[in-house]
Amino acid sequence: MSSLTNPIFHDADKAREYLEAMLWPKGAICPKCEAVDCATKVQGKTARAGLYMCNACRKQFTVTVNTIYERSHIPLNKWLFATFLMCASKKGMSAHQISRMLELPYKTSWFMCHRIRYGMKEKKKVLSPLGGKNKVVECDESYVGGKARNRKNYVPPKYAVFGLVERGGKVRSQHIESVTGNNIGRIMREQIDSASFIMTDEAPVYKTFGEEFAGHGSVNHSKEEYAKLGGFIHTNSIENFFSLMKRAIVGVYHSVSPQHLNLYLAERDFVFNHRSKLGFDDAARTTMALKSIVGKRLTYRRTDGQTETA
């Protein structure tokens, strides 16, 4: 898959066959009744390519049903190509660039990118707490948005982002309306195992919640303190994630509105969680993105990412 000359990026039939083999390793799965290997391929001149008939519920389906590709008129090979380009670019790829490379209208490529980001987003139902016994979770908040430099009468707004990273493991970030004790505390209690040792900066908002975990270490950035206790106490991991996330927004996307910010953060989380240090290359990262598309159909009215129930 890592080669741009791979047939799955240039032939819709090859792309469909590749997706079927990946999502259906034990045979076609009916999206209606979930019967496995109980379907017959529909033949005939008028039949759509890749159409199956379930012998259990008698419903017809293709491999794209109940995925982010459902009911799309864009060739499947272009979907796979766009997914690979986004996964192979460390700081992301803009919809304008996708539009030029895939020869698609900008609005189409913009919606494609949001669908792919939605596919990368972890389902709420399967999220497990970060950390655990003898594990460290780093917490920090940051702000994204425009800079006031060279702006005479208008200061662009900035939006708060709260991030958690299990040291040596996964990261989770999300947009929050404001950095308050209620907002921060709720997220930390929901998403961090209470047996974890947490690391924060000197912000007062963390002092109260630190007592609810196995241990709490902090560094004082205002005094240029970035690590102590032999380098054990620090927040460098979450700071590293924030630096990559901001490079993506400033250098690639340039401007991100608050209603779409969580989808951009989902993409940055996914790429960081499948980084080379954890054993993923571009091809493996793309494979994981393609495997996560099931059950995540996204319509145009839901591109703000606010109505997700999965």
Side-chain angles (χ1 to χ4, degrees):
M1 178 187 288
S2 58
S3 172
L4 297 183
T5 60
N6 193 315
I8 66 173
F9 297 143
H10 305 280
D11 185 285
D13 290 332
K14 295 292 185 182
R16 188 189 67 256
E17 293 169 3
Y18 177 84
L19 199 61
E20 288 178 352
M22 176 184 295
L23 299 182
W24 297 340
K26 297 182 180 180
I29 302 175
C30 177
K32 304 295 182 181
C33 67
E34 298 184 350
V36 180
D37 199 18
C38 188
T40 303
K41 195 167 186 178
V42 179
Q43 305 290 345
K45 294 182 180 180
T46 59
R48 284 181 295 153
L51 185 65
Y52 288 81
M53 169 75 79
C54 178
N55 297 321
C57 66
R58 308 303 296 171
K59 299 293 184 180
Q60 293 185 341
F61 62 93
T62 67
V63 71
T64 62
V65 172
N66 197 32
T67 72
I68 63 173
Y69 307 146
E70 184 176 352
R71 298 180 67 85
S72 174
H73 297 288
I74 303 167
L76 193 55
N77 57 294
K78 292 194 175 185
W79 275 108
L80 267 59
F81 204 172
T83 303
F84 174 76
L85 291 173
M86 292 178 66
C87 289
S89 305
K90 187 173 183 178
K91 297 180 179 66
M93 184 169 287
S94 70
H96 277 294
Q97 183 69 27
I98 297 287
S99 172
R100 291 191 294 270
M101 296 183 70
L102 271 60
E103 298 181 340
L104 294 169
Y106 169 66
K107 288 185 178 180
T108 300
S109 64
W110 180 88
F111 187 39
M112 284 180 69
C113 290
H114 268 344
R115 278 191 179 185
I116 294 169
R117 292 183 186 107
Y118 186 67
M120 294 176 176
K121 191 172 185 178
E122 290 186 284
K123 291 185 178 180
K124 292 181 179 179
K125 293 180 180 180
V126 299
L127 287 179
S128 57
L130 295 173
K133 187 176 181 180
N134 298 325
K135 293 184 178 180
V136 176
V137 177
E138 299 178 20
C139 316
D140 199 9
E141 76 286 344
S142 188
Y143 296 85
V144 299
K147 296 182 179 180
R149 187 184 307 151
N150 299 327
R151 301 294 183 94
K152 183 177 180 181
N153 300 315
Y154 173 69
V155 178
K158 287 183 176 290
Y159 312 110
V161 174
F162 182 62
L164 308 170
V165 62
E166 184 178 308
R167 191 171 290 177
K170 289 189 172 184
V171 69
R172 288 180 194 159
S173 63
Q174 64 185 87
H175 168 49
I176 56 177
E177 291 298 325
S178 58
V179 181
T180 63
N182 288 335
N183 290 338
I184 298 297
R186 173 181 54 81
I187 297 172
M188 291 177 67
R189 293 187 186 101
E190 289 177 355
Q191 301 193 27
I192 304 178
D193 191 306
S194 60
S196 307
F197 197 100
I198 64 169
M199 301 290 184
T200 69
D201 58 20
E202 74 280 8
V205 70
Y206 297 113
K207 293 182 179 180
T208 301
F209 308 111
E211 299 175 356
E212 301 180 18
F213 298 91
H216 178 205
S218 64
V219 288
N220 194 333
H221 289 163
S222 62
K223 295 183 178 180
E224 297 187 358
E225 181 182 67
Y226 298 99
K228 60 184 182 182
L229 199 62
F232 175 68
I233 297 178
H234 66 78
T235 58
N236 294 341
S237 301
I238 189 65
E239 295 287 352
N240 174 48
F241 168 76
F242 281 146
S243 68
L244 292 172
M245 179 265 290
K246 290 182 179 181
R247 286 300 91 202
I249 292 177
V250 173
V252 178
Y253 306 123
H254 304 309
S255 178
V256 174
S257 59
Q259 62 265 37
H260 299 303
L261 180 54
N262 273 330
L263 285 179
Y264 287 98
L265 293 175
E267 178 191 6
R268 294 297 91 213
D269 287 356
F270 179 86
V271 173
F272 188 87
N273 291 339
H274 297 87
R275 58 194 183 274
S276 58
K277 190 175 181 180
L278 297 181
F280 293 90
D281 57 12
D282 295 342
R285 194 176 303 114
T286 305
T287 297
M288 295 303 297
L290 293 175
K291 287 183 176 180
S292 67
I293 64 173
V294 179
K296 294 182 178 178
R297 188 185 172 198
L298 178 64
T299 62
Y300 186 80
R301 293 179 181 275
R302 295 175 60 193
T303 51
D304 60 359
Q306 301 301 314
T307 56
E308 180 194 2
T309 58

